[in-house]
Amino acid sequence: MKTIIEPFRIKSVEPIRMTTRQERRRLMQAAHYNLFALHSDDVLIDLLTDSGTSAMSAAQWSAVMRGDESYAGSPSFLRFEAAVKNLMPFRHVIPTHQGRAAEAILFHLIGGPGRMIPSNTHFDTTRGAIEASGAQAHDLVIAEGKDPAALHPFKGNIDLAALEAFLERHGEAAPCVMLTVTNNAGGGQPVSLANIRATADIAHRHGKPLIIDGCRFAENAWFIRQREDGQSGRDVADIARDMFSVADGMTMSAKKDAFANIGGWLALNDDGLAEKARMRLILTEGFPTYGGLAGRDLDAIAQGLVEIVEHDYLAYRIRTNEYIGERLLALDAPIVQPTGGHAVFVDARGLLPHIPPLAYPGQALVCALYETGGVRACEIGTAMFGRQPDGTEKPAAMDLVRLAMPRRVYTQSHADYVIETFAEIVANKRQIAGMRITWEPPALRHFTARFAPLEAA
Ligand code: F0G
């Protein structure tokens, strides 16, 4: 059969409250045109993030009931640890309340002033943890990874020559090498198994551990199976094992590819470092057999890790985003190509060329998506990155809007509805005005800044 169906039935539903365009216009005005300020009840299709928004399965909810809340040595921890080690064969698995907690512990231990950490592209929270420790984060993704229109099967790959040169020059300062799979900040693009292996070789030749940020490891493994020579037909779980077996540690947000609503972990092979990480964990998260989690969360993750590598799920997952991407391109709405694993990234600057970057085309597009269809998406552009340390304003490298797809939550007709919303926007795009900022906080302004449409200035 050609139709790829959602490989699940729905037993429990959450109603979506319908709103009118007029209502949404009023709500958006009250939120000062910042969609983070909306109540999620007022959103029809919420594509703000794929993090923590997954629908858990009946088996996961059963596992929640089995959860054992003992302070120490809970069987839930042992099930969680076994499920992680089954796919990621590291010696030590340290639970945390989410991904950034694992990053904070790691870089508290190996970061610090004068240190430099190379990666394909650090996600914001990773960069934040590195910089908070006084170290520097360096992004060395291949050139194609920075060009939205470049077609390359593994746009998340790290530039191996640049990594080699970096370690020759700054080897002393680098406590590790990192890889983010898939590369979220670069459009959800995968890293090939060959690139992971070559990165491990280079790191190990320089005496450095390779740490993988594995948030979307199953999507990455699926792309390897689809696109890499010699990998087709393989079991995704085996590919995942191959990805992690050459690494020395990982950070993870279970809110992505573990189908959990909360959770994460830090895994390490180095006994001494793991010991220090557990000490830090006790101070900041909790006892080493629960981290920042309840026993029931650990059991939900253990079951989620079984389900996330199922081929029928991954085929449906990746195809949903590819389908939206294809339809947007057919509407002449430019996107980052090829479509990423967890999201479609729309090039708002390309779609709305009449809005200059300093009038925030990405913010204008997320507001238009909400007003037109009640769809909530996230601006990743000049509103997020435009403010310079000296207080001036500069266009970001790109003005993107991320449509991040929650896992197992929306159906084909929801995808078609999002496409129809875009069709209406494209047809009337000249009427979409740029935005200005009326108030902003000193840092991380995109979460709370207030905007106004330029015509209303
Ligand atoms: N690494 C990557 C690649 C991520 O995408 C995220 C979170 C984290 C680490 C941090 O994990 O949220 O559990 O602390 N990304 C979310 C997103 C927030 O919307 O892309 P966390």
Side-chain angles (χ1 to χ4, degrees):
M1 300 298 289
K2 283 203 282 299
T3 308
I4 298 176
I5 60 169
E6 288 84 7
F8 47 80
R9 295 180 300 180
I10 298 167
K11 167 149 63 182
S12 181
V13 298
E14 287 182 284
I16 293 174
R17 190 178 80 80
M18 294 299 175
T19 48
T20 62
R21 195 173 178 138
Q22 219 170 6
E23 213 178 335
R24 292 193 291 268
R25 197 174 295 149
R26 189 173 49 69
L27 290 162
M28 196 165 66
Q29 211 168 2
H32 300 280
Y33 299 87
N34 187 328
L35 305 191
F36 284 98
L38 289 174
H39 293 186
S40 59
D41 286 355
D42 297 327
V43 175
L44 271 71
I45 306 221
D46 204 347
L47 306 182
L48 197 56
T49 182
D50 66 320
S51 180
T53 51
S54 298
M56 293 214 294
S57 65
Q60 280 182 292
W61 285 111
S62 309
V64 163
M65 284 309 293
R66 195 167 62 223
D68 179 302
E69 305 304 340
S70 304
Y71 192 90
S74 157
S76 296
F77 172 73
L78 297 176
R79 287 189 284 265
F80 158 82
E81 187 187 39
V84 174
K85 286 188 174 182
N86 176 44
L87 294 171
M88 296 111 174
F90 296 112
R91 286 166 59 79
H92 304 276
V93 181
I94 299 165
T96 59
H97 80 275
Q98 60 184 82
R100 67 197 69 184
E103 294 161 3
I105 291 172
L106 180 67
F107 291 108
H108 175 78
L109 297 176
I110 67 170
R115 297 278 164 90
M116 299 165 97
I117 293 109
S119 179
N120 50 350
T121 311
H122 294 281
F123 182 66
D124 320 11
T125 56
T126 321
R127 175 174 285 276
I130 290 170
E131 291 176 353
S133 80
Q136 282 175 24
H138 290 267
D139 295 339
L140 303 176
V141 75
I142 56 170
E144 291 89 336
K146 289 180 255 180
D147 175 357
L151 282 168
H152 184 289
F154 293 103
K155 284 173 88 169
N157 281 356
I158 196 167
D159 182 333
L160 296 167
L163 176 64
E164 184 80 62
F166 183 92
L167 289 175
E168 249 145 54
R169 187 137 176 246
H170 305 294
E172 297 273 285
C176 69
V177 172
M178 278 196 87
L179 276 178
T180 312
V181 303
T182 59
N183 186 13
N184 181 6
Q189 301 293 327
V191 181
S192 71
L193 190 54
N195 192 259
I196 295 172
R197 287 179 169 151
T199 303
D201 281 348
I202 294 173
H204 294 157
R205 242 189 307 107
H206 288 266
K208 310 296 176 191
L210 170 63
I211 307 288
I212 295 181
D213 173 341
C215 289
R216 298 178 181 84
F217 76 93
E219 290 168 8
N220 199 91
W222 181 257
F223 281 123
I224 288 174
R225 185 180 192 270
Q226 298 287 88
R227 297 179 183 171
E228 192 160 348
D229 283 348
Q231 300 298 324
S232 75
R234 291 191 66 205
D235 185 355
V236 162
D238 286 333
I239 296 174
R241 284 180 200 108
D242 284 355
M243 287 162 54
F244 291 105
S245 63
V246 296
D248 305 280
M250 73 179 295
T251 55
M252 178 71 188
S253 168
K255 300 171 76 171
K256 284 80 168 178
D257 273 359
F259 281 133
N261 301 124
I262 196 71
W265 64 85
L266 170 65
L268 295 164
N269 280 336
D270 182 318
D271 297 341
L273 191 59
E275 199 47 49
K276 286 188 199 145
R278 289 200 179 95
M279 295 303 296
R280 183 74 190 163
L281 186 83
I282 291 174
L283 276 178
T284 58
E285 294 280 295
F287 190 74
T289 61
Y290 72 85
L293 296 169
R296 65 178 79 101
D297 301 323
L298 293 167
D299 263 310
I301 295 169
Q303 176 60 27
L305 286 175
V306 173
E307 296 172 13
I308 200 78
V309 291
E310 284 171 4
H311 290 193
D312 290 341
Y313 158 71
L314 285 165
Y316 137 79
R317 165 80 175 157
I318 299 300
R319 180 61 196 147
T320 303
N321 288 325
E322 194 181 56
Y323 171 81
I324 296 173
E326 279 168 12
R327 294 302 189 282
L328 295 194
L329 282 174
L331 289 170
D332 273 334
I335 62 165
V336 175
Q337 295 190 68
T339 309
H342 66 299
V344 178
F345 288 70
V346 182
D347 176 2
R349 200 180 287 174
L351 178 63
L352 305 172
H354 60 285
I355 304 180
L358 292 182
Y360 313 112
Q363 193 62 27
L365 179 57
V366 296
C367 289
L369 279 166
Y370 180 68
E371 186 183 323
T372 309
V375 176
R376 180 158 70 167
C378 184
E379 192 265 8
I380 303 183
T382 306
M384 193 181 270
F385 301 121
R387 193 191 157 93
Q388 305 303 302
D390 65 3
T392 59
E393 195 76 12
K394 211 176 95 185
M398 293 186 264
D399 278 295
L400 301 179
V401 165
R402 183 180 79 165
L403 312 172
M405 192 53 75
R407 291 170 184 75
R408 301 191 295 207
V409 169
Y410 293 115
T411 63
Q412 172 82 37
S413 70
H414 293 118
D416 285 328
Y417 178 92
V418 171
I419 293 158
E420 191 182 333
T421 303
F422 266 95
E424 194 174 326
I425 287 174
V426 170
N428 302 304
K429 66 183 200 176
R430 286 263 143 211
Q431 286 157 32
I432 299 175
M435 315 283 291
R436 66 191 172 91
I437 291 177
T438 59
W439 177 85
E440 63 184 291
L444 293 174
R445 70 175 180 189
H446 57 285
F447 290 122
T448 53
R450 295 176 173 184
F451 299 86
L454 275 176
E455 60 196 347

